[in-house]
Amino acid sequence: MKKYINSGVMKLIFFFVTISFIVSSCEDDIPNDYIMKTYVEAFLIVDEPISGIKVLETQPLDKPFDLDAGWISDATVKIKNDGSIYELAYSNSTPKGYYLPDNSIKVKPGSIYELEIILKDGTRITGMTTTPNGSLQWVKPPKKEFYYPKDTLKLPGVDSLELEWTNVPDTYFYILSVVCNDTLEYGKYLSPANPDEKNRRAYNTFAKDNNDYYLEIPSWNFIANTKTPTVWLAFKWFGPQTVTIYAGDYNFLRWFMQASNFSNNESDPLKYSVNNAIGVFGSAIKLSGDFFLFKNQP
């Protein structure tokens, strides 16, 4: 599930491209001297191994965007906690990025973690996060299966969509994510299976003419309490789904607010939580539940 967090936020890198324009006089041509910046995306999830720490470089606007070319794989990346220093290794597999090879070491709740990145040119990037102290448990988990209604503008109250979870101390906003785990298949999950029945998009009255809505697999939102209905508009495809609740630290929450429509996807240096780079070093506790969304439309 963590990979969806990262994929959902990775679009931010498009907005972190820096170009410096220097105009010496009105008669001179305008140069476009590109200044590369380092981009860091590092999230620690309580009770999980350390992985998926991203270190990339921004790219100029006058060239095609190439995410693979942006990865920095030769940095020295360390995580410090309670007097221990862990050096991370780089991996090209999913989740791509830096990880701690000893996966028996899990992120602890209510603990201070420090990040240190040393680039080949000697640049030192640092950050610090305090992991949330507590645990997330379902009070009312999602039902295992339900049907998407045909008319999404005239919806009756659907008890199966209501979610409730325990409170995490000092958490005022939770992040709710809904992900379709297979956007290509549908029939193979039925009983009996029907391989000819393929997946398709769920009808969305407000996004039916907006193809950009389907470019990202997850949909997500901020919740200011521990109980909420899962609205029908959260679903983009039929089939197997995962809903996840995140209780994040201050860094985690600020970064996701920046990635949302609340800030129009604009880069705000005040929301960075790493020094000497663009990016975030944050932490969260998460709680997930799986269910199946059946087709109920022609």
Side-chain angles (χ1 to χ4, degrees):
M1 184 60 209
K2 184 177 177 183
K3 64 183 178 181
Y4 295 112
I5 306 177
N6 295 331
S7 69
V9 190
M10 283 296 293
K11 63 180 180 179
L12 281 172
I13 196 171
F14 286 97
F15 301 97
F16 295 146
V17 178
T18 304
I19 290 186
S20 175
F21 293 100
I22 305 173
V23 181
S24 58
S25 70
C26 294
E27 293 78 18
D28 294 338
D29 292 335
I30 300 176
N32 57 344
D33 296 331
Y34 168 65
I35 301 176
M36 190 276 291
K37 296 289 186 179
T38 304
Y39 172 85
V40 174
E41 185 181 289
F43 297 114
L44 303 181
I45 304 299
V46 171
D47 294 329
E48 292 191 3
I50 298 173
S51 66
I53 307 298
K54 296 177 170 59
V55 184
L56 303 101
E57 60 181 30
T58 60
Q59 300 178 36
L61 287 174
D62 60 350
K63 295 181 180 179
F65 180 79
D66 184 354
L67 180 60
D68 291 334
W71 287 90
I72 299 175
S73 59
D74 57 359
T76 299
V77 181
K78 296 179 181 180
I79 296 287
K80 304 176 183 179
N81 172 251
D82 287 342
S84 298
I85 301 177
Y86 306 105
E87 185 163 348
L88 309 188
Y90 181 79
S91 173
N92 268 316
S93 59
T94 304
K96 192 171 183 178
Y98 292 86
Y99 72 103
L100 182 60
D102 186 354
N103 59 14
S104 67
I105 299 175
K106 306 295 173 54
V107 176
K108 297 179 290 188
S111 190
I112 297 175
Y113 285 82
E114 296 177 69
L115 172 69
E116 181 184 63
I117 301 171
I118 307 294
L119 303 180
K120 283 299 182 181
D121 64 2
T123 300
R124 182 172 180 265
I125 301 167
T126 60
M128 184 175 69
T129 180
T130 300
T131 57
N133 192 16
S135 64
L136 274 174
Q137 304 293 332
W138 288 116
V139 174
K140 192 171 186 179
K143 297 288 181 64
K144 290 299 181 183
E145 55 187 39
F146 52 88
Y147 292 82
Y148 194 107
K150 178 180 179 180
D151 189 344
T152 56
L153 294 181
K154 299 177 181 179
L155 300 179
V158 183
D159 182 59
S160 64
L161 286 179
E162 191 172 82
L163 305 174
E164 186 175 358
W165 56 91
T166 56
N167 182 58
V168 175
D170 300 320
T171 300
Y172 304 102
F173 286 93
Y174 296 86
I175 295 174
L176 185 149
S177 169
V178 177
V179 176
C180 179
N181 296 318
D182 193 339
T183 62
L184 300 177
E185 298 291 341
Y186 176 85
K188 72 178 185 180
Y189 298 99
L190 302 178
S191 182
N194 180 6
D196 294 329
E197 179 67 59
K198 299 300 180 182
N199 209 339
R200 59 182 169 85
R201 297 173 178 179
Y203 178 75
N204 186 322
T205 303
F206 301 104
K208 61 181 180 180
D209 298 322
N210 182 9
N211 288 326
D212 290 346
Y213 177 77
Y214 298 95
L215 294 180
E216 293 285 345
I217 295 178
S219 62
W220 52 279
N221 210 336
F222 295 94
I223 306 296
N225 50 61
T226 60
K227 182 178 181 179
T228 183
T230 304
V231 296
W232 292 114
L233 296 182
F235 305 114
K236 299 183 179 183
W237 289 271
F238 298 100
Q241 316 277 331
T242 296
V243 58
T244 303
I245 310 297
Y246 298 95
D249 75 330
Y250 184 57
N251 297 344
F252 188 97
L253 181 62
R254 280 188 305 167
W255 192 252
F256 272 83
M257 291 184 71
Q258 179 173 235
S260 73
N261 291 330
F262 294 116
S263 62
N264 296 317
N265 302 123
E266 295 179 354
S267 173
D268 184 354
L270 295 178
K271 294 184 174 67
Y272 302 164
S273 51
V274 291
N275 302 310
N276 212 17
I278 294 168
V280 57
F281 179 46
S283 56
I285 300 173
K286 78 173 188 179
L287 173 66
S288 297
D290 296 325
F291 57 92
F292 194 89
L293 181 63
F294 285 94
K295 293 180 180 180
N296 193 26
Q297 300 178 18

